[in-house]
Amino acid sequence: MKHIWFWTKRILKGTAAIAVAAGLFSYAMFQGNFVSWFLFYSVMTLFILMVLYALIPLGSFRVKRHTGEGAMPAGTELRTEIEIERSWPFPFLYLAVEDIAEDALTKQLPYQASKMIFYPTLQKRLTYSYTIPELKRGKYYSYGVKLSTSDLFGFFHKETFASIPGELLVYPNYFDIDQWEAYEKHDIETSLTMQDFIEDRTSIAGAREYVPGDKLTSLDWKATARASKLMTKEFEEYIGQNFLVAFNNRVPDSSFAVSDAYEKAIELVTSIIMYAYREQLHIGLWSIGDDLKRFPVGLASDQQKEMISYLAQTSPSAQGSFGASFLPFEDDIPDGVTLILVTVELTDDVMNRCRILLSRGVRVFAALLDKNKQVDAWEYRRLKELRDAGADAYLLSDGRWSRESMSGEG
């Protein structure tokens, strides 16, 4: 059907052009003055150019795309350059060029930034560039470059497509845990990094006298006070330093505050994985949403790329139940691991699973993401209940783990 309509339009356009030429010729024959003949010859010149345009092929183009291929961190700028080289200078009235990519990437562009119109030129090499100022995490595909032109009246339209498949992985942002305060204790003038938090709660075996070269962050201040000399914490080997990150991939709604908290949760999980990778720890990841995506506890270096790639592409679910997805695999949690729960909501469903895990002797570290101060009174209450049950439960706000006061919970 499309093929028939294509040729029908061409025939109608050709007939209309011939009718205009015949009408002007008849007018010139009957009128016979200079104006009528000048009008006829002018239109015939355009008519001949239009016929030549219809007969001459668009020509071959060599098109290249120079961009950030492979992997890039979220939040960075992406600059793309399109290079078009013509085999011979085709006399186009204009040449419209558009870089075709999937909608998820195109929507991050300024309005029509991936399009360009070149006007008549004898240059064989044409270039233009465009920029995405701030990439969002995800996996994106580019398909190719579309080139099109037409004659002066739009009777004949020519178009060609240069296939240039491309793939770009934008992985989540992450922060260096060694330099990031995991939480602040408001009752004393000290703070603890995430690395110290993990060491302090998973692998302390005792204390010994400080020797030059020991990390200052490993000093045991209580033992130092008792012994009246500097004492350093002794840690067990990697036994007990295994971590399982349970990421609640469910969100209560699609509001901006919740979406922002969700992205912060992705950054936190990525940061923990990168920390484990750097320190050569054992770590696993369970993403609990509509379904359950599981990366078993193992050496971080063996599955770091797969986990980061998954986090780059995952999207939240507003459906499903945390408990329903988690329950069938609860017995698969290895002995001796520390469970790190990262969530943007603290529901009764999540609370029940945490209580059961705590009753089984599983160490639970719960991280609730602050939804721009939209954490309701029930979630504050549940945080306190988790702490009372034996979990380390914190509210993540502005890049810090803070022990929130439970006053005014309602």
Side-chain angles (χ1 to χ4, degrees), residues 244-247 285-288 293-295 326 329 332-333:
L244 175 60
V245 180
F247 174 50
L285 171 64
W286 290 8
S287 177
I288 300 106
K293 176 66 175 178
R294 297 198 298 166
F295 296 90
F326 190 80
F329 304 96
D332 294 343
I333 298 176

Side-chain angles (χ1 to χ4, degrees), residues 167-377:
E167 181 180 299
L168 175 65
L169 177 67
V170 182
Y171 55 84
N173 244 326
Y174 66 92
F175 44 81
D176 188 349
I177 286 179
D178 281 334
Q179 302 174 6
W180 180 68
E181 291 183 355
Y183 70 88
E184 289 183 351
K185 295 180 180 178
H186 296 283
D187 54 337
I188 56 176
E189 297 284 332
T190 60
S191 62
L192 201 62
T193 66
M194 182 67 167
Q195 179 180 354
D196 297 329
F197 177 90
I198 293 172
E199 289 177 342
D200 286 349
R201 282 155 177 76
T202 61
S203 55
I204 297 175
R208 59 171 172 79
E209 188 173 351
Y210 172 82
V211 294
D214 287 344
K215 291 193 302 181
L216 293 179
T217 54
S218 298
L219 289 176
D220 190 332
W221 295 108
K222 291 182 179 179
T224 297
R226 289 194 301 267
S228 298
K229 57 184 177 181
L230 289 177
M231 301 294 289
T232 301
K233 299 170 187 173
E234 282 192 310
F235 303 104
E236 297 173 1
E237 297 302 320
Y238 284 154
I239 299 172
Q241 296 191 27
N242 301 331
F243 307 99
L244 175 60
V245 180
F247 174 50
N248 186 3
N249 206 7
R250 184 191 178 281
V251 295
D253 55 63
S254 58
S255 65
F256 174 80
V258 171
S259 298
D260 185 56
Y262 178 81
E263 292 302 321
K264 289 178 181 177
I266 292 285
E267 289 184 15
L268 173 60
V269 175
T270 305
S271 301
I272 294 171
I273 292 171
M274 295 304 293
Y275 166 73
Y277 173 74
R278 186 175 63 252
E279 297 296 322
Q280 288 297 295
L281 303 178
H282 287 74
I283 193 168
L285 171 64
W286 290 8
S287 177
I288 300 106
D290 283 342
D291 52 10
L292 184 66
K293 176 66 175 178
R294 297 198 298 166
F295 296 90
V297 176
L299 196 61
S301 57
D302 293 340
Q303 51 186 351
Q304 176 248 4
K305 289 184 178 179
E306 290 79 5
M307 289 190 289
I308 299 301
S309 178
Y310 169 77
L311 291 171
Q313 302 173 64
T314 189
S315 56
S317 168
Q319 307 296 326
S321 164
F322 178 90
S325 298
F326 190 80
L327 179 60
F329 304 96
E330 200 169 272
D331 292 336
D332 294 343
I333 298 176
D335 293 334
V337 302
T338 296
L339 182 78
I340 305 176
L341 171 66
V342 180
T343 181
V344 299
E345 61 175 357
L346 203 52
T347 61
D348 289 335
D349 189 33
V350 176
M351 286 288 295
N352 291 335
R353 300 321 323 153
C354 288
R355 287 195 189 97
I356 291 173
L357 291 173
L358 289 166
S359 68
R360 293 173 46 192
V362 177
R363 288 167 293 187
V364 176
F365 170 34
L368 174 64
L369 277 297
D370 184 4
K371 299 179 281 293
N372 291 339
K373 307 305 179 183
Q374 293 185 22
V375 177
D376 59 38

